[in-house]
Amino acid sequence: MKTTNLLFLTLFTYLFGVSNLAAKDVSKDVSRITGKIIDQNEQSVPYANVALIDAVSGNLVDGAVSDENGFFLIESVKTAKVKLVVSSIGFTSFESEVFALAPGLIKAFGAVSVQDEMTGLDEVTVKSTRPEIIIEADKTTINVEGTVMAEGSNALDVIGRSPGIYVDQDGIINLNGRTGATVMINDRLTYMSATDLANFLRAMPADNIKSIEVINNPSARFDAEGSAGVINIKLKKNTVDGMFGNIQAGALYNGQWLPTSGIALNVKKGKWSTNANLNYNHFGRYNDLEINRNFSLPEGISKFSQDSRITTRNKNLFFNGAANYEINENQNIAINIQASDSDDSDDNKSLTDIITPGVSDISYLDSRNDSKGNGNRIFANIHYDAKLDTLGTKISSDIDFTRMNSDSESVLTNMQWTGENTAEIMNSKILTLNDMYYNIFTAKVDFVKPVGKGNTIETGVKGSWVKSDNNLNLSKSQEEGPFVPDPSSNSFIYNENVLAAYISYKGKFSDKLSYQVGLRGEHSDITGNSVTLNQVNNQKYFNLFPSAFMQHKISDNYQIVYNVNRRITRPNYRLLNPFVYYIDPLTTETGNPNLKPQYSNNFEMNHVVKGMYQFTLGYSETEDAFMQVFVQNEDERTTTTYTDNFDKTRNANFRAIIPVDIKEWWAVSNMVQVNYNQYKSQIGDDYLNSANTSFMVRSQHNFTLPMGFKAEVMGIYLGPQIWGQGQISGFGWVDAGVTKSILKDKITLSVNGTDIFRTQVINAKIDFAAIDTNFRQYRSNQGVRFTLKYNFSKGESFRVKSSSGSSEERNRLD
């Protein structure tokens, strides 16, 4: 099915859900509590917590969250004596008088006023700067909404600014100095490879994000996939009865003009609610790359000096639509459909000077690699959840289906000559055609049962079934002759079945000491079939993944949290294909059908002081760790890269998060992280044993200024580090932005500058065995982005639920 048809189908499904809204009315047995939260300046307070609290027991009866304009609605069928409690970060709490909640009650509170915890400076009234980081027992939450960087950036940029997270220039997310982090959106796993995920997050405006949760050591409830931990993106809750949404448009200039646009729409009436987002963006950059390679020959050293410019341009279209139906107060069913389409193009131009010992003339290699590709994906999720009793017993289930198609075509054109003799230029071409598709089906059920006071049992089962087909066709041409098929062509079929089950128990030793223990078991059956080479590789294995968590509250201002777990990272499907891909005539990339999963054992001890300051010690040991390996052929003077299993890697890290409020209008968030990494592995005839202590420093300054202006300045520096065989020099950069809201926050204008001083330059080298290579790279990170957003709404406040899937298999699509 073509992508246009898929997009039409998803839009039709969404609009069909909207068309059913008018026929549904709120039951007369439901009470409705409404109002609007404002501050002392009569400005709306968005996303405040609004709760009905039992006046006798103090327990939560029902609740909601105010929308972007401060409106709230609580619908309830319960009967109790309650009071309305409003709370929001940076404001004092509000409590109403006690009133009788009963079915059919209509109660309008009107304007509910809360006060800033901090007041104005001199005669200039400014709102207090909200805390950016919230430290909890099992995770660290970074508030994103309302920040200047969020107004003008995309989701991937904001994730890269979060404590402990570094996003490299390929969009790969590193958590605490390690790759292999699992990314979730609204508590649902994302089904995307690192490449697909980076493109998706670049297409998502950061303004849609409420917060980012960093979970370094997940419990047994989470899939064991992802050795570095979990990053959970929490989107804003849209709460308008009737219609609510926003439209935004902008552009980034970094040597190319890269437009972005998006629209979000939410509709609710009665038990039906629907929401949809459509985003379109261009991502592009120039990659200036210098590579110097030295080859040891019997006659002496042969030197290759290569200068390249790679021009990349991606056009991404992403649609997300969901419909939710509340069967009754205890049951809910939802459907989520996503469809995406991307068109990619790369233009790689390089010139290599070749010095050969004993030869006076310099040889030249002029290469141009032009490639284009298209990828489309459709994802569907059906979600059901139910409360089984008043004690908190719950059950939920998800069924997901994903289909992805990707095709690409590249032509590598080479011209080679010696000295000034351009009349005898040798010409050659390499044509690469690559087609692949993936089908993924997953199903899961989770069950939660409270047992006794403060104790809970969680259990669940899950199955996933994956099939992929990858056809790589290579052909070569000499001196303008016809293309001849190359033996490196390959057809590869991959099948993976994983069955999993888990159980987890949460309890307390005392009021100050709580714990959680869990065990997850996963059985994997994997088959890789190289049809062309007539090679079948089958792997079957069963693994247990224990986890334990303990929280010791020493005092109201000091607690220690301990975490320990075991995790797995399975190889990307593409890496198991024994393909050969030409990056340029001197460099090839190959697959590895013998690549095994990597396993990591993780420990963390987190000290939290006054709920603000965080000091964390962590240790991880990984067996069969994935690493990119470089192999050099001295005779042919070529380099091959592939992914292999390192025998063992170790990572020890220390992280400190220190927020400082310099003034009421000036808040600073500081983070320092120190990593010790060690790599040990046999690579061919040589043994690698390298270690390094590196560090990362991040300081972000938030300014709340008069006349509705807000500004942010952030600086990051990464010290020298090692990465397998490679050594990377230290580098840093500074980003800054300013935003202004007008027309009562209906319109927001923002300007952001990235890598202002053009210092995000990467210098690296490989000096291992016979390899003597160094790199210098800059990827046009310096740029300026302009964004205009318009918010619109019509109706009273309400709460929209959403569901977006449940599995991790798409994380490994590449």
Side-chain angles (χ1 to χ4, degrees):
M1 185 180 294
K2 295 183 178 180
T3 303
T4 52
N5 293 335
L6 297 178
L7 290 174
F8 175 80
L9 176 63
T10 53
L11 286 167
F12 175 81
T13 303
Y14 168 71
L15 294 173
F16 178 78
V18 173
S19 68
N20 282 276
L21 299 182
K24 305 296 180 180
D25 294 320
V26 178
S27 171
K28 295 181 179 179
D29 294 332
V30 175
S31 58
R32 296 168 60 89
I33 315 299
T34 63
K36 181 180 181 181
I37 313 301
I38 61 173
D39 62 14
Q40 72 270 15
N41 298 315
E42 297 187 355
Q43 298 295 312
S44 60
V45 177
Y47 307 110
N49 295 315
V50 186
L52 295 178
I53 302 298
D54 191 293
V56 178
S57 66
N59 294 329
L60 174 68
V61 176
D62 261 313
V65 177
S66 65
D67 66 17
E68 281 196 345
N69 300 308
F71 291 103
F72 69 89
L73 166 75
I74 300 176
E75 295 179 339
S76 179
V77 295
K78 299 177 182 178
T79 300
K81 294 288 187 179
V82 299
K83 55 185 177 180
L84 185 79
V85 177
V86 178
S87 62
S88 182
I89 296 175
F91 292 100
T92 58
S93 297
F94 166 87
E95 290 189 10
S96 74
E97 298 293 330
V98 176
F99 64 93
L101 178 67
L105 173 69
I106 304 296
K107 186 174 181 64
F109 274 87
V112 177
S113 179
V114 293
Q115 304 296 311
D116 279 348
E117 291 181 336
M118 299 181 182
T119 57
L121 174 65
D122 298 329
E123 295 181 357
V124 180
T125 301
V126 296
K127 291 185 180 180
S128 62
T129 302
R130 305 288 182 257
E132 183 195 4
I133 299 173
I134 301 173
I135 302 169
E136 301 176 65
D138 58 343
K139 62 189 175 185
T140 299
T141 302
I142 302 95
N143 285 330
V144 173
E145 63 171 327
T147 64
V148 177
M149 297 297 184
E151 291 286 356
S153 300
N154 60 57
L156 189 64
D157 292 334
V158 173
I159 289 174
R161 300 184 182 109
S162 302
I165 301 175
Y166 168 63
V167 178
D168 68 20
Q169 297 195 40
D170 292 318
I172 307 301
I173 298 173
N174 296 263
L175 178 58
N176 298 324
R178 296 179 288 147
T179 58
T182 297
V183 177
M184 306 175 70
I185 297 177
N186 280 348
D187 303 313
R188 307 293 179 190
L189 295 157
T190 51
Y191 283 90
M192 297 182 192
S193 68
T195 302
D196 293 332
L197 181 63
N199 290 332
F200 167 57
L201 294 176
R202 290 188 184 108
M204 177 190 292
D207 184 60
N208 290 348
I209 301 175
K210 178 176 176 62
S211 62
I212 297 171
E213 298 175 347
V214 180
I215 309 170
N216 294 315
N217 289 310
S219 67
R221 178 173 62 89
F222 292 88
D223 289 272
E225 178 73 29
S227 57
V230 171
I231 299 169
N232 187 23
I233 302 171
K234 304 289 286 187
L235 301 181
K236 290 180 179 179
K237 293 183 178 180
N238 300 308
T239 53
V240 172
D241 195 3
M243 184 177 67
F244 164 83
N246 65 70
I247 300 173
Q248 62 177 336
L252 167 68
Y253 181 75
N254 62 355
Q256 302 183 60
W257 279 105
L258 304 169
T260 63
S261 60
I263 182 170
L265 180 65
N266 303 269
V267 182
K268 181 181 186 296
K269 190 172 184 181
K271 295 182 178 182
W272 278 94
S273 61
T274 63
N275 62 81
N277 293 274
L278 182 64
N279 294 300
Y280 176 77
N281 83 323
H282 285 210
F283 168 73
R285 63 187 175 196
Y286 297 110
N287 181 8
D288 293 318
L289 177 63
E290 301 173 11
I291 305 177
N292 296 295
R293 318 183 203 196
N294 296 323
F295 296 87
S296 297
L297 303 179
E299 301 83 9
I301 302 298
S302 178
K303 297 184 178 181
F304 284 47
S305 299
Q306 179 178 337
D307 289 329
S308 301
R309 164 161 278 205
I310 305 169
T311 303
T312 299
R313 184 99 177 190
N314 300 339
K315 300 176 183 179
N316 302 301
L317 179 66
F318 180 83
F319 171 81
N320 179 65
N324 186 92
Y325 179 70
E326 297 179 4
I327 301 172
N328 53 45
E329 66 170 337
N330 295 320
Q331 297 183 79
N332 179 75
I333 189 169
I335 183 172
N336 175 225
I337 296 177
Q338 297 175 0
S340 64
D341 184 79
S342 65
D343 289 304
D344 311 324
S345 64
D346 287 284
D347 178 14
N348 182 355
K349 298 178 181 178
S350 67
L351 179 64
T352 305
D353 300 345
I354 304 173
I355 298 177
T356 303
V359 178
S360 59
D361 290 332
I362 298 176
S363 297
Y364 300 95
L365 177 61
D366 190 329
S367 298
R368 177 164 183 165
N369 196 345
D370 295 313
S371 64
K372 59 183 179 180
N374 173 263
N376 58 75
R377 163 183 168 271
I378 187 165
F379 159 75
N381 161 257
I382 298 176
H383 172 81
Y384 171 81
D385 61 74
K387 299 176 183 178
L388 304 181
D389 57 35
T390 58
L391 300 177
T393 304
K394 296 182 293 184
I395 189 170
S396 64
S397 64
D398 287 276
I399 297 175
D400 305 310
F401 174 76
T402 303
R403 180 179 176 87
M404 177 179 174
N405 295 282
S406 177
D407 60 80
S408 63
E409 175 182 337
S410 67
V411 178
L412 175 60
T413 304
N414 308 302
M415 295 183 294
Q416 191 168 2
W417 69 94
T418 301
E420 302 299 327
N421 187 12
T422 57
E424 296 184 3
I425 295 178
M426 293 184 294
N427 295 283
S428 64
K429 292 183 179 181
I430 301 175
L431 173 64
T432 303
L433 302 175
N434 192 11
D435 298 317
M436 50 186 169
Y437 81 86
Y438 302 93
N439 283 336
I440 302 174
F441 177 80
T442 65
K444 62 174 288 190
V445 177
D446 295 289
F447 178 77
V448 179
K449 175 69 175 179
V451 288
K453 187 176 181 180
N455 302 327
T456 304
I457 289 180
E458 295 183 46
T459 186
V461 294
K462 176 189 172 183
S464 65
W465 297 265
V466 178
K467 181 178 181 179
S468 71
D469 195 342
N470 188 355
N471 294 298
L472 181 69
N473 294 305
L474 287 175
S475 55
K476 297 180 179 179
S477 169
Q478 299 290 336
E479 299 298 337
E480 304 300 330
F483 282 99
V484 178
D486 188 83
S488 299
S489 298
N490 187 49
S491 175
F492 183 73
I493 298 174
Y494 177 89
N495 288 279
E496 175 188 286
N497 302 326
V498 178
L499 301 177
Y502 76 91
I503 186 169
S504 177
Y505 184 83
K506 184 187 298 183
K508 289 184 176 182
F509 291 118
S510 66
D511 291 338
K512 292 189 175 182
L513 197 62
S514 60
Y515 67 93
Q516 181 175 328
V517 293
L519 183 65
R520 186 180 187 90
E522 294 189 353
H523 178 268
S524 303
D525 185 352
I526 298 172
T527 301
N529 180 11
S530 176
V531 178
T532 305
L533 301 178
N534 195 25
Q535 293 179 357
V536 178
N537 188 310
N538 183 255
Q539 300 181 42
K540 291 184 179 182
Y541 47 86
F542 176 78
N543 295 109
L544 293 175
F545 301 95
S547 62
F549 159 91
M550 185 170 67
Q551 179 182 7
H552 186 191
K553 186 177 180 181
I554 298 174
S555 68
D556 291 340
N557 292 322
Y558 181 40
Q559 63 175 323
I560 305 176
V561 181
Y562 304 88
N563 281 285
V564 61
N565 68 9
R566 185 171 186 255
R567 307 278 288 172
I568 185 176
T569 302
R570 299 177 180 88
N572 291 336
Y573 313 141
R574 173 179 172 271
L575 296 178
L576 295 169
N577 182 2
F579 65 89
V580 176
Y581 179 78
Y582 284 86
I583 300 173
D584 57 48
L586 307 173
T587 311
T588 56
E589 179 186 3
T590 66
N592 182 2
N594 298 313
L595 197 60
K596 298 179 292 186
Q598 70 175 29
Y599 298 90
S600 63
N601 298 307
N602 311 299
F603 170 78
E604 184 180 84
M605 179 172 61
N606 188 11
H607 298 254
V608 182
V609 180
K610 294 184 177 180
M612 297 173 57
Y613 309 101
Q614 183 175 1
F615 305 93
T616 305
L617 288 171
Y619 177 78
S620 176
E621 189 169 291
T622 304
E623 299 177 359
D624 295 323
F626 301 148
M627 275 293 154
Q628 190 175 28
V629 174
F630 293 83
V631 177
Q632 194 162 277
N633 187 314
E634 298 296 309
D635 296 331
E636 298 182 3
R637 292 182 289 180
T638 59
T639 302
T640 299
T641 177
Y642 62 95
T643 300
D644 203 359
N645 294 110
F646 273 29
D647 297 338
K648 185 168 289 188
T649 65
R650 293 185 175 93
N651 171 270
N653 60 81
F654 168 77
R655 182 176 66 255
I657 298 175
I658 306 173
V660 179
D661 290 330
I662 298 177
K663 296 288 186 179
E664 291 89 342
W665 48 272
W666 181 4
V668 181
S669 174
N670 300 305
M671 190 273 293
V672 177
Q673 181 165 310
V674 180
N675 286 293
Y676 171 82
N677 289 294
Q678 182 184 54
Y679 302 92
K680 290 184 177 182
S681 187
Q682 187 74 34
I683 302 177
D685 297 330
D686 301 288
Y687 186 74
L688 174 69
N689 185 359
S690 61
N692 164 264
T693 300
S694 62
F695 65 92
M696 180 171 69
V697 178
R698 170 185 175 272
S699 183
Q700 181 169 334
H701 299 249
N702 297 64
F703 304 93
T704 305
L705 305 174
M707 300 177 63
F709 283 94
K710 293 190 293 184
E712 291 184 15
V713 178
M714 183 201 66
I716 293 180
Y717 183 81
L718 280 76
Q721 56 187 298
I722 60 173
W723 188 253
Q725 298 163 282
Q727 304 172 45
I728 304 173
S729 302
F731 63 97
W733 67 96
V734 175
D735 297 339
V738 62
T739 185
K740 165 70 173 176
S741 295
I742 59 176
L743 300 179
K744 297 182 179 180
D745 295 335
K746 288 290 185 183
I747 295 178
T748 302
L749 304 170
S750 64
V751 180
N752 283 274
T754 56
D755 192 18
I756 294 174
F757 302 107
R758 200 180 175 85
T759 55
Q760 200 170 349
V761 179
I762 296 179
N763 291 281
K765 68 177 182 179
I766 300 176
D767 186 7
F768 173 75
I771 303 177
D772 181 7
T773 302
N774 61 76
F775 310 81
R776 185 184 187 277
Q777 179 175 261
Y778 185 75
R779 290 188 169 176
S780 64
N781 297 302
Q782 186 181 56
V784 59
R785 180 186 290 112
F786 306 90
T787 306
L788 171 67
K789 187 183 74 169
Y790 171 72
N791 297 311
F792 59 88
S793 63
K794 182 180 181 181
E796 300 175 2
S797 68
F798 73 108
R799 184 171 54 209
V800 171
K801 296 182 180 180
S802 65
S803 177
S804 57
S806 62
S807 300
E808 87 284 356
E809 285 69 26
R810 284 277 294 122
N811 289 329
R812 298 182 287 117
L813 295 181
D814 199 357

